[in-house]
Amino acid sequence: MPAQKALFRSITIIPTLLLLVLSTQTTTLTFTSAIQSTSRNIQILNESGRRFEVYWIHADTGEMIRQSDPFVYNGAAFSLNSYMGHKFQIRELAGAKTGICGDPEDGDLGVEGIKCRVNYFQVNANQDQVLFVTKGL
């Protein structure tokens, strides 16, 4: 009789453990699927004539975390993976030789001391997004 009780206990424990393992895997798969469904590939093409940096903006704190290392050259492409709703800042860098921001050849206020330009974008629902950064950012 004691052997039958031990066998009964082990039979009831095994399905319970199996159910626990299966429910954990289902939750993990659901969570992973949710992340993958909002994940987006982004290609940023620099056609601005200037170098710039790309920053991710933390939704809760507003902290900016640089994504480009160190910057995106004119004519270069920069790829990143992000999620729907994430916001980014593109920040123009002053010319390496002149220290000037803007486009002086276009009559822009390209004088020392002028603040470099910034622009923003937000990741939307489209898959494989391409962002063209043009003159004037």
Side-chain angles (χ1 to χ4, degrees):
M1 195 71 135
Q4 286 178 327
K5 282 186 179 181
L7 178 61
F8 179 73
R9 276 192 214 139
S10 65
I11 289 172
T12 58
I13 290 173
I14 289 173
T16 304
L17 288 175
L18 182 59
L19 180 62
L20 180 62
V21 168
L22 289 176
S23 68
T24 303
Q25 287 177 346
T26 303
T27 303
T28 303
L29 290 174
T30 304
F31 180 69
T32 303
S33 297
I35 288 175
Q36 288 174 344
S37 69
T38 62
S39 176
R40 298 293 180 264
N41 295 320
I42 301 149
Q43 184 83 354
I44 302 171
L45 304 174
N46 185 356
E47 299 176 350
S48 70
R50 312 291 297 182
R51 302 172 304 151
F52 61 76
E53 296 172 324
V54 178
Y55 289 84
W56 171 71
I57 305 169
H58 190 284
D60 295 329
T61 65
E63 178 185 7
M64 300 215 186
I65 300 170
R66 188 171 66 197
Q67 302 299 299
S68 53
D69 187 24
F71 49 80
V72 181
Y73 285 98
N74 178 46
F78 177 71
S79 299
L80 61 92
N81 297 316
S82 191
Y83 297 92
M84 287 175 23
H86 279 187
K87 295 179 182 178
F88 292 86
Q89 181 189 72
I90 296 175
R91 194 179 299 174
E92 177 186 33
L93 296 173
K97 293 178 185 172
T98 63
I100 296 174
C101 292
D103 300 310
E105 65 275 1
D106 291 343
D108 207 0
L109 297 175
V111 295
E112 271 188 90
I114 296 294
K115 201 172 183 180
C116 291
R117 297 170 289 195
V118 297
N119 211 333
Y120 299 88
F121 72 93
Q122 183 171 352
V123 179
N124 61 35
N126 296 331
Q127 294 288 342
D128 299 321
Q129 298 175 42
V130 179
L131 176 71
F132 293 90
V133 180
T134 58
K135 229 173 200 169
L137 282 163

